[in-house]
Amino acid sequence: MPGDLANLSLLCLRSKAVWGYSAGFLAACRPLLQLSPDDLASSHVAVADRRGHAVGVAQVTAAEGSARLDKLYVDPGALRSGIGGALFAEAVWAARAAGARALLIDSDPGAAGFFLRMGAGPAGDVPSPAIPGRVLPRFVLPL
C-alpha cells in the first residue's frame, strides 16, 4: 500500500502542475499533496482507475456536521473525461454519509470554474496553507 500512496501523491503533484506553476511553488505545495496511511484511517479516499492505473483521487474529511474536500486531483492525461465529476460525486456521497450538512472546498484558483459547475457557491477567500500571502477561493456546497 505505501507504493500506492506514493503513486497517488505523485498523481496529485502532476495534476497541480497543469496550472503552470514553477518548480519552487510545487515544492512548497508538495507536503499538502501527499497521502499517508493516516489519511486512509481518518478520511474517505476514493481512487478513479482506468485499465488498472490510478487516474484520479479525492479525499474528504468529515467532522461535526461539515466535511472538507481535502483533495480532488485528476491525472493530466485524463482531464475533461468525466473523472473529476465522478470523483466529486463520490466526495459528496461520502460527506452526506458522514452526516455533513455542507462540503467546504478550498480551491486552486484554476479549478474554481469546475467547482462552480459542480454546484458549489463562492464563500470568500482563505489563506493558502502552503504559500504565505497567497489566498485561495473557498466554495461551499450545501448537502
Side-chain angles (χ1 to χ4, degrees), residues 11 14-15 55-57 72-76 78-81 83-84 87:
L11 183 154
R14 286 193 308 275
S15 180
V55 292
V57 62
L72 196 156
Y73 292 100
V74 175
D75 193 77
L79 289 172
R80 295 175 181 45
S81 67
I83 289 169
L87 284 168

Side-chain angles (χ1 to χ4, degrees), residues 87-115:
L87 284 168
F88 188 78
E90 172 73 13
V92 169
W93 174 86
R96 284 183 176 137
R101 295 179 300 278
L103 179 62
L104 298 176
I105 305 154
D106 295 345
S107 173
D108 185 284
F114 170 80
F115 293 114

